[in-house]
Amino acid sequence: MNIVKYFPVLLFLLSLQSCAYYFGNARIKRSVPTEIFTDFRTAENRDLNENEDWAKHPIVQDFASVKMDADWKTKGKTNSPRILLAKLALGQELDSVNAYLCRLQPWGRSGTNWLLNPNGDYDFSEIILVNILYLFGNDSSRLYPNTVVHLLDVLLIEKSPKPENKTPGSLGILKETENHILMKESVRYLRRYWIYSYGKETENQQKELERLEKFLFTQLHEMLEYGFWEYNSIPYLGYTVVPLLTLEAHAPSERIRMEARKILDQMNYEYILGTIDFKRVVPFRRQLHRHGWSDLSADPHTALMRTWYYQKKGIPVSKELSPHSTHQSLMALLLPYRLPDSLLNMIDNRNSLSSLHLIGHGWHSSPEIHWKGPDWLLTGGGVQRGKISQLVPRPIVLILNDSTQATDIKQCFHIQGPPKIKKKNNTGIYKGFAVAKSPVTVPVGYLPELIVGNWQFFSVPGRTEDKVLVYNTDKMGILLFVKDWQGTIKSLSDFILQHNADQKLLKHKISLPDKSIIEFNLNSNKNRWVIKSLNGEKMDRNFDRWKRVIIK
């Protein structure tokens, strides 16, 4: 291919949503330096699932029951390698699985699939194949010796000893996405280590391994310190987690294993801060066309967390318990990473997290803001900072653990914000308070006990002492959640109307039932928190410089 011929096309693609991301912001440091979190566990406690009864989990059986697909090229990206993995895990159809693997040829190239790298994305298959090698390659009764050779010589195509972090076909201009970097380089590292460990290692080979390890550690340490660039991504977070699980399980280097484990622990810690009953609504980076998803548990991280939680509790994992991203749930089961007890206790002990959680994602990004208690979560929001940022803001949503058992945003009180996504700054969230540039949507089934002017007053079903207050105009909406109100609904309305009588003032200032006063600015810049002050004390509003986690 004459690359010069396509250079104008390359320059054009830099202005588009997908490629501009690789070229632009990925090169810029993601946030001010922050402290590395304390380890969540005190010992490695590694067992490589030696005592795990995989057969008890229906999700493994479901994958193993699927017929091996002859169309490897179109099905090889996600399901086909996992079907083989599940069959090997359960010891089923071993002759057929080994024969099938030995017939396979690589269906494409690794790296991002685009005009100048056609048939890309093969590393989605490779990362599963390298797990087949490491989980079963030392058991010749499951993975036959000739199959191991075929994996190493043919199917694992990362054969160069030099690590890569540029998008194939981009003249070294475009930086590759973090999920592709981690998949490709994990496969390269583990493949070479396997080959060297079964032969006489030379000094040059040792240097090659050290170079690959150094490259991987640098990538991991940056991710540990600054977080994921493709944070909360639907669907790419799952494809970033799989190589982390792979390295945590198989890396020969203890520092690589530990760095991967710290990233997973911290990722899961941040998840717990912004979820209730495995339900959440969070801003994310990539993919923009998924901004309208309204299922409260549709993201891949929820599938992973449910899998680890149920497994730890001794509950068989099925597609019914983890209906979304089941292919990622399979990897969470078969690889040894498990939630540490400290994080498991945080899920079970909700009272320990009744606070405001601010999560910073760095420069030119979008924050997460969650107010969480034992039976509520006020969450969501975010900003959209142009297509090049690939940021996806979400509605502000009040998720209540009430008798309605909502599973969708539509079943919750929520504020969508401006209709145009590029206009959204849905960061107007604080303790018990939310505001944005659109009316509050009241879910079907909720009837106000009292309506006074623009105010509506609701009681939470089954928890009549908990109140939801809604103030709507054509251009804005205010949502209040009042926990354990001891008076009547009339006394609450009297207080609200007395202290917020001036509707012009309500456009930027409100007095809450606990007598605190919040000032806000619905016209805030895209790098500014909508909340300006609490009781006259100014907030740190520049969320580009927020730490990874701030708890108030």
Side-chain angles (χ1 to χ4, degrees), residues 318-337:
S318 65
K319 288 183 178 179
E320 289 70 32
L321 290 178
S322 184
H324 302 287
S325 300
T326 54
H327 60 305
Q328 309 298 22
S329 292
L330 178 74
M331 302 309 297
L333 269 178
L334 296 184
L335 293 172
Y337 174 85

Side-chain angles (χ1 to χ4, degrees), residues 251-268:
S253 163
E254 181 178 356
R255 72 171 186 158
I256 293 289
R257 292 197 307 272
M258 291 302 296
E259 205 76 358
R261 188 172 312 147
K262 288 178 183 178
I263 294 169
L264 292 165
D265 284 349
Q266 292 176 16
M267 172 193 80
N268 293 332

Side-chain angles (χ1 to χ4, degrees), residues 496-542:
I496 290 295
L497 294 172
Q498 177 185 348
H499 290 82
N500 299 283
D502 188 340
Q503 294 198 20
K504 289 184 179 180
L505 202 60
L506 262 178
K507 293 179 180 179
H508 59 86
K509 187 176 184 178
I510 187 170
S511 294
L512 302 182
D514 64 0
K515 299 183 180 180
S516 59
I517 298 173
I518 292 178
E519 290 187 82
F520 55 91
N521 179 6
L522 287 175
N523 296 312
S524 297
N525 293 333
K526 292 297 185 70
N527 66 338
R528 289 292 184 271
W529 191 11
V530 165
I531 307 300
K532 291 178 62 179
S533 68
L534 175 67
N535 297 326
E537 183 178 345
K538 293 182 178 180
M539 296 294 186
D540 176 9
R541 301 179 61 210
N542 184 356

Side-chain angles (χ1 to χ4, degrees), residues 410 412-414 440-448 456 458 470 472:
K410 302 182 188 71
C412 303
F413 290 90
H414 64 277
V440 178
T441 298
V442 177
V444 174
Y446 271 85
L447 298 176
Q456 301 177 65
F458 302 83
V470 170
N472 277 339

